[in-house]
């Protein structure tokens, strides 16, 4: 099975990204042929500063390497180092009906959030389809918000195959649902757009301060509390052992436990969880060439895997034929 996913370089990665997506990407490496890339063409649709794209690409690469990306097994590259994908986007665009894109929720959401309605944002799912189809990917691990884009990809692949013959494998989504949504420090979904994140690699002291500030309800210390309604408990589930979790659950229900106490323990566990990764990242930062080397080698391997499919698609539509 070939697994593929893209990660936008849109800011420092947070623990919601880790438990909701990255951890599963890294686990899948062991069982499947994995292809992961930094989706910088996609990031352009929200017009970031040019320097920011470059810096965030370095950061995402270092984050993945420190968290256990195995570059011997997994192909890891920067999307824009393989411009062939934009050519395939064009071939796919010409079989994509407007109504397919008009119904995409993520486009409507982004416009509602105030992003400018540029053509790139509208055509974003076609570029995503090209990312997936150019590698004949079987499984695409994504968050639930991306499910519609995988359905669009399948639809585009079917239309192309019907019109021009069997060129593309139809991918399946692999919705990452093993972890509920990780709450942010204000209790809403942790998201960089809400400014409520705890970054994976932020300094230990600041990680602790943020955890101590997580919002809780105002149930008095002596009263019983419902763990399932508590943001701290939701995070504790990510890092505590089952035995310890069961003990805390009991203490919530018994009453007599203050939130300060459980926050302190959560901070310890969270810091311990990420400590080895933090050390690895510090080591990697000492050797700035490592990122370039990884991305260069990744792009070579990615292009070698993708170009035969692009050539097949070109030929199928009648481009480049000898006269
Ligand atoms: P953000 O909301 O910070 O912009 P993205 O939309 O870029 O994050 O998400 C990248 C990946 O991380 C997606 O697969 C998404 O499902 C996952 N993810 C993001 N935030 C959370 C969260 N709070 N809980 C669980 N998974 C998350
Ligand atoms: N659109 C995805 C996101 O915002 C990123 C992405 C780009 C992607 N191309 C992809 C994910 C291909 C899976 C497959 O999270």
């Amino acid at each position: 099975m070939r697994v593929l996913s893209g990660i936008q370089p849109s800011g420092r990665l947070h623990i919601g990204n880790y438990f909701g997506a990255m951890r599963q990407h890294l686990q899948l490496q062991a069982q499947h042929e994995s292809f992961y890339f930094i989706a910088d063409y996609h990031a352009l649709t929200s017009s970031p500063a040019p320097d920011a794209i470059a810096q965030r690409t370095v950061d995402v690469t270092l984050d993945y390497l420190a968290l256990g990306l195995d570059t011997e097994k997994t192909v890891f590259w920067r999307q824009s180092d393989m411009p062939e994908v934009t050519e395939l986007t064009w071939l796919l665009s010409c079989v994509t009906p407007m109504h397919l894109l008009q119904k995409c929720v993520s486009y409507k959401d982004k416009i509602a959030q105030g992003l400018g309605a540029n053509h790139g944002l509208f055509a974003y799912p076609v570029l995503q389809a090209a990312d997936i189809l150019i590698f004949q990917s079987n499984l695409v691990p994504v968050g639930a918000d991306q499910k519609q884009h995988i359905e669009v990809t399948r639809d585009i692949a079917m239309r192309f195959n019907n019109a021009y013959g069997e060129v593309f494998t139809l991918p399946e989504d692999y919705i990452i649902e093993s972890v509920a949504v990780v709450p942010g420090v204000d209790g809403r979904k942790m998201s960089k757009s809400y400014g409520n994140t705890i970054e994976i690699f932020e300094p230990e002291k600041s990680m602790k301060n943020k955890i101590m500030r997580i919002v809780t309800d105002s149930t008095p210390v002596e009263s019983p509390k419902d763990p399932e309604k508590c943001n701290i408990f939701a995070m504790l589930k990510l890092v505590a052992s089952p035995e310890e979790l069961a003990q805390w659950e009991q203490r919530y229900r018994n009453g007599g436990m203050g939130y300060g106490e459980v926050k302190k323990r959560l901070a310890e566990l969270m810091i311990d969880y990420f400590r080895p990764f933090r050390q690895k990242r510090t080591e990697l930062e000492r050797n700035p060439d490592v990122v370039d080397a990884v991305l260069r080698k990744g792009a070579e391997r990615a292009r070698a895997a993708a170009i035969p499919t692009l050539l097949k698609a070109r030929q199928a539509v009648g481009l480049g034929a000898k006269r």
Side-chain angles (χ1 to χ4, degrees), residues 95-307:
V95 296
T96 305
M98 290 293 282
H99 67 80
L100 202 57
L101 302 180
Q102 271 155 350
K103 69 174 192 202
C104 283
V105 176
S106 104
Y107 173 74
K108 291 186 213 161
D109 280 356
K110 285 177 181 159
I111 301 302
Q113 283 166 22
L115 273 184
N118 64 54
H119 173 255
L121 200 57
F122 184 69
Y124 181 118
V126 190
L127 175 58
Q128 185 159 350
D131 289 330
I132 297 168
L133 298 177
I134 205 167
F135 289 99
Q136 308 285 12
S137 315
N138 307 108
L139 287 183
V140 186
V142 283
D145 57 323
Q146 294 292 318
K147 187 176 169 63
Q148 192 181 29
H149 290 164
I150 314 306
E151 281 159 10
V152 168
T153 300
R154 287 173 59 87
D155 195 327
I156 294 174
M158 274 187 278
R159 284 168 194 274
F160 190 100
N161 287 352
N162 282 340
Y164 299 113
E166 291 294 312
V167 173
F168 298 117
T169 305
L170 262 50
E172 301 282 337
D173 54 37
Y174 178 100
I175 299 297
I176 297 174
E177 276 169 332
S178 52
V179 166
V181 170
V182 178
V185 292
D186 60 359
R188 292 186 290 174
K189 169 188 182 261
M190 184 176 291
S191 170
K192 58 190 165 295
S193 37
Y194 296 146
N196 63 357
T197 62
I198 300 175
E199 289 164 15
I200 301 171
F201 291 107
E202 73 179 53
E204 293 187 357
K205 210 166 155 202
S206 131
M207 188 178 263
K208 177 164 186 197
N209 287 340
K210 284 192 180 172
I211 290 176
M212 296 308 292
R213 288 206 319 268
I214 294 174
V215 293
T216 47
D217 62 24
S218 51
T219 320
V221 173
E222 56 286 2
S223 311
K225 301 173 179 64
D226 182 352
E228 295 309 329
K229 291 199 178 125
C230 177
N231 297 321
I232 313 291
F233 194 79
M235 288 201 193
L236 211 51
K237 282 185 182 166
L238 304 170
V239 286
S241 66
E243 300 76 38
E244 179 166 355
L245 198 65
Q247 284 166 13
W248 282 110
E249 180 170 3
Q250 205 49 58
R251 295 201 53 203
Y252 268 77
R253 299 203 189 278
N254 291 347
M257 179 209 75
Y259 286 122
E261 195 187 338
V262 59
K263 282 180 176 176
K264 239 165 113 183
R265 180 63 185 145
L266 173 64
E268 273 170 20
L269 286 170
M270 197 63 87
I271 288 169
D272 285 351
Y273 185 95
F274 287 109
R275 183 166 292 130
F277 303 128
R278 185 189 308 283
Q279 282 163 352
K280 181 84 203 288
R281 199 183 196 285
T282 310
E283 277 165 35
L284 288 163
E285 283 163 13
R286 288 198 199 106
N287 178 6
D289 296 339
V290 73
V291 169
D292 271 351
V294 162
L295 294 177
R296 202 167 333 107
K297 181 174 134 200
E300 271 170 30
R301 291 172 71 192
R303 294 184 72 226
I307 287 175

